[in-house]
Amino acid sequence: MEANLKDCYIGNSGVVHLCILADGRIVAIKVLKLQQQGALKSFIDECNALRRIRHRNILRIITACSSVDHEGNDFKCLVFDFTSNGTLDLWLHPSASDQHQNKKLSLMQILNIAIDVASALDYLHHYCEIPITHCDLKQSNVLLDEDMTADVGDFGLAIFLFEASSNPSKNQSMSIGLKDSIGYIPPEYMNGYVSILGDIYSFGTLLLEMFTGKRSTDDMFKDDLIIHKFVSMALPDRVTEIIDPSMTFEEENLDEKVEHGIEEKATITDIDSQVHTHRKLEECLVSVMRIGLVCCTASPRERVATNSVVNNRHAIRDSFLRFKKEQEDMNRRRII
């Protein structure tokens, strides 16, 4: 396979290369670090998981390769569709040199990404031939394609649920791999208990991170203050104080009226309308945050199921979209 390779991302389990094939297709090749403990097992587990699943919000695998390199060492890699907008982590926490530094996610984009991730988990938990728990959901494992659709990737720690209780080595392997996922790990994983409810906990933490713009491992979270408590203390009256300040709340552009000699007015001057808009935005944010808090409660039995999360998120998004449309129509009538 003729290709042009260059390093794209260096992760805990391997190096991901951006690869331009001879036919012009762009793919991502994850080359495993086989010298790391559990790497070979992780490769096998990821292959077993990915060959059983197919969903629009799960990173699509093209093929896998198991061979030897030019020095005679074992070589194993996975070939995936390339996601041109990188990881969610790069968008939420760009470095000074990162291409996403000046790009900001809007409220609607974050809502859509959350729905995409929840839909992927719902599929894994309820619609696979054998239910699968991802076990390592976090910002760096959520990838964004060219239209900002989210794909869940990295199934190296995924567990088929019928194996979880009968194979202790699975739990041991998982605990080794999760050493760099602090903040997303549900309490019960410390005791080796694995279930789909663990993914729900990780999703809840991810949700709170997305809307606050803070990592669950932020330096401000110490002693008994964790991101869950930080959010809980602010609800409902101070929700706007904890929202990521870089999040944008852009309105849909009005139809172009300038050509017809009508001056465009982008700012809503009516005070009552501004107050109503602010209240609706607060309601949306509080609803989202409460879902996140329910997802990441310490007791697994108190967490909400993924299908309920998907339905609730759709309802919140659709309600906010209807409100935006009403406001747009009202503003347009003012201009006319």
Side-chain angles (χ1 to χ4, degrees):
M1 178 175 65
E2 183 181 351
N4 179 24
L5 289 172
K6 65 177 182 178
D7 285 356
C8 179
Y9 171 74
I10 301 176
N12 297 318
S13 59
V15 179
V16 179
H17 300 274
L18 172 64
C19 177
I20 304 174
L21 303 181
D23 62 2
R25 283 190 303 160
I26 302 177
V27 296
I29 300 180
K30 177 181 177 181
V31 180
L32 276 294
K33 297 178 182 177
L34 295 178
Q35 70 275 18
Q36 289 192 350
Q37 183 179 6
L40 179 59
K41 189 173 184 301
S42 175
F43 172 78
I44 296 172
D45 288 345
E46 189 160 10
C47 288
N48 286 335
L50 290 172
R51 70 186 177 88
R52 295 171 181 261
I53 56 182
R54 181 76 64 178
H55 188 272
R56 68 180 296 272
N57 297 122
I58 293 177
L59 188 62
R60 189 174 77 90
I61 186 170
I62 298 173
T63 188
C65 175
S66 179
S67 183
V68 293
D69 62 18
H70 63 282
E71 296 179 349
N73 300 315
D74 285 340
F75 174 86
K76 299 187 185 300
C77 72
L78 299 166
V79 183
F80 297 95
D81 279 342
F82 173 62
T83 51
S84 58
N85 272 312
T87 68
L88 177 61
D89 182 58
L90 292 177
W91 281 81
L92 294 177
H93 307 284
S95 63
S97 60
D98 191 79
Q99 62 176 327
H100 304 302
Q101 184 181 17
N102 297 322
K103 296 182 180 180
K104 306 299 181 184
L105 292 173
S106 69
L107 170 63
M108 197 54 57
Q109 284 177 317
I110 293 179
L111 281 171
N112 286 332
I113 290 169
I115 290 173
D116 289 343
V117 174
S119 297
L121 292 181
D122 189 40
Y123 167 78
L124 293 172
H125 297 168
H126 300 112
Y127 298 102
C128 286
E129 177 185 356
I130 301 171
I132 297 174
T133 179
H134 184 278
C135 292
D136 196 20
L137 183 66
K138 54 187 177 182
Q139 292 182 23
S140 59
N141 288 339
V142 176
L143 299 104
L144 304 171
D145 65 17
E146 60 183 359
D147 63 356
M148 297 301 287
T149 297
D151 296 327
V152 175
D154 199 340
F155 283 76
L157 295 176
I159 294 179
F160 296 101
L161 291 184
F162 78 90
E163 297 177 338
S165 60
S166 60
N167 191 348
S169 66
K170 287 279 185 180
N171 296 335
Q172 181 181 4
S173 174
M174 184 190 69
S175 64
I176 293 172
L178 284 174
K179 66 180 185 295
D180 294 311
S181 299
I182 296 172
Y184 299 94
I185 308 173
E188 66 269 20
Y189 278 18
M190 299 298 98
N191 298 321
Y193 178 74
V194 180
S195 75
I196 60 176
L197 297 175
D199 280 351
I200 301 298
Y201 181 95
S202 301
F203 174 78
T205 302
L206 177 65
L207 196 60
L208 300 183
E209 289 183 323
M210 289 168 62
F211 280 87
T212 62
K214 299 185 181 299
R215 298 184 189 276
S216 53
T217 54
D218 192 285
D219 290 340
M220 71 173 291
F221 300 128
K222 55 186 177 181
D223 299 328
D224 64 339
L225 181 63
I226 57 177
I227 191 169
H228 317 145
K229 187 174 181 180
F230 170 73
V231 171
S232 180
M233 291 190 301
L235 298 186
D237 298 331
R238 295 188 295 108
V239 64
T240 54
E241 297 177 16
I242 63 170
I243 293 301
D244 183 358
S246 70
M247 185 191 303
T248 62
F249 301 94
E250 80 280 0
E251 297 292 332
E252 298 294 330
N253 293 327
L254 297 177
D255 294 337
E256 290 294 337
K257 302 291 184 180
V258 179
E259 296 179 1
H260 303 286
I262 299 176
E263 181 180 359
E264 182 180 11
K265 297 181 180 180
T267 306
I268 301 174
T269 57
D270 184 84
I271 296 178
D272 290 338
S273 179
Q274 288 184 11
V275 171
H276 186 44
T277 299
H278 185 75
R279 286 177 179 171
K280 189 65 178 181
L281 178 60
E282 283 188 339
E283 289 175 8
C284 173
L285 295 173
V286 169
S287 297
V288 169
M289 294 295 196
R290 281 179 171 160
I291 292 174
L293 290 175
V294 173
C295 286
C296 55
T297 55
S299 172
R301 287 179 292 184
E302 294 179 7
R303 297 171 199 158
V304 65
T306 45
N307 55 348
S308 295
V309 172
V310 173
N311 292 336
N312 287 335
R313 297 309 298 267
H314 273 292
I316 293 170
R317 183 189 64 180
D318 293 346
S319 174
F320 191 68
L321 282 173
R322 284 193 300 270
F323 172 74
K324 286 182 66 177
K325 181 63 168 59
E326 292 170 1
Q327 291 297 106
E328 180 182 323
D329 291 343
M330 186 182 303
N331 294 338
R332 185 180 289 109
R333 286 194 295 271
R334 287 197 183 101
I335 291 175
I336 296 174

